Amino acid sequence: DVAVIKAYYISSGFADVKVDPQVDKNHGNLPDHWFVVFAINEGPRQEIGKLALHGVDPALAAGLRFGGLFSPNAMAAGIASSVPNKEGQPYSAARAQENQEAILSYLGDHGYGRANVSWKAAPPSEAHMVDLTYDIQPGPQEIIQRVILMGNEHTRAGIISRNVPFQTGAPLRQSDIYEAQRKLYDLGIFNQVQ
């Protein structure tokens, strides 16, 4: 299928790919024996040039609890290492979107559940390099003040507490929320966990 082949090449950085199916309806001089050849002209491959992360202020991050440590560069370094598509790798809008999702996931896993991330791609240079800029607005960090168990009429609080990884004073991590839900459902005694 032409659309599938074209989508594959575009996701691999070949934005100007041309796919031309050539159909031989009598292959080998046999009627109704179709043979399809896809002539593909990839064109130049676009790659990620500069990758800029704006909005993560090391001075702001210095005063926030981040992974149990106080570090002015922890947030910026962590975000930079979390993006799967880096400078020199193929560029496509889908890959830029993957980076955006990875940044949001990273922030959500460090207590920034209300973060916003947008991105812009500069037009390709003559060398077919595309510069990407991510505007990151972490928003306020959510810190656990206390854990309250509600609705456990028949289950002892200790059973629930052992399966909930939250600690007072720690950032509210998305991965901890999902893990707590999974562990509580795995006990087989709850119909709903919120």
Side-chain angles (χ1 to χ4, degrees):
D1 187 40
V2 172
V4 172
I5 294 171
K6 196 169 186 178
Y8 170 77
Y9 275 91
I10 289 171
S11 72
S12 297
F14 297 100
D16 299 324
V17 66
K18 306 266 188 276
V19 179
D20 182 28
Q22 300 164 357
V23 180
D24 179 359
K25 294 181 181 178
N26 294 307
H27 180 66
N29 292 325
L30 298 171
D32 296 327
H33 281 79
W34 291 37
F35 189 78
V36 180
V37 174
F38 292 94
I40 300 172
N41 179 356
E42 294 175 336
R45 175 180 249 174
Q46 295 178 348
E47 294 180 350
I48 298 172
K50 293 180 182 171
L51 186 64
L53 304 173
H54 293 174
V56 180
D57 182 2
L60 174 66
L64 299 175
R65 188 167 190 74
F66 204 71
L69 302 172
F70 288 88
S71 171
N73 296 316
M75 184 187 290
I79 290 171
S81 68
S82 74
V83 295
N85 301 290
K86 302 186 185 317
E87 295 176 0
Q89 292 183 327
Y91 166 77
S92 71
R95 289 174 180 258
Q97 180 72 31
E98 284 177 17
N99 281 358
Q100 179 184 23
E101 291 168 7
I103 293 168
L104 284 168
S105 177
Y106 181 87
L107 290 169
D109 206 35
H110 288 84
Y112 298 92
R114 297 184 212 164
N116 288 310
V117 177
S118 60
W119 62 275
K120 287 187 254 180
S125 68
E126 288 184 22
H128 309 289
M129 302 301 277
V130 177
D131 294 340
L132 290 175
T133 302
Y134 291 88
D135 181 31
I136 302 167
Q137 298 171 357
Q141 187 178 38
E142 297 168 333
I143 303 295
I144 298 170
Q145 291 182 356
R146 65 183 173 183
V147 178
I148 301 171
L149 303 176
M150 295 172 56
N152 55 320
E153 296 174 15
H154 304 290
T155 306
R156 287 179 298 196
I159 292 173
I160 297 171
S161 295
R162 281 194 299 272
N163 289 283
V164 176
F166 306 118
Q167 294 179 5
T168 302
L172 180 61
R173 299 165 40 99
Q174 287 294 330
S175 62
D176 287 347
I177 293 171
Y178 299 137
E179 182 170 338
Q181 285 178 323
R182 182 189 59 77
K183 284 182 172 183
L184 291 171
Y185 276 124
D186 287 351
L187 291 174
I189 55 178
F190 296 106
N191 292 329
Q192 185 176 12
V193 177
Q194 295 180 331

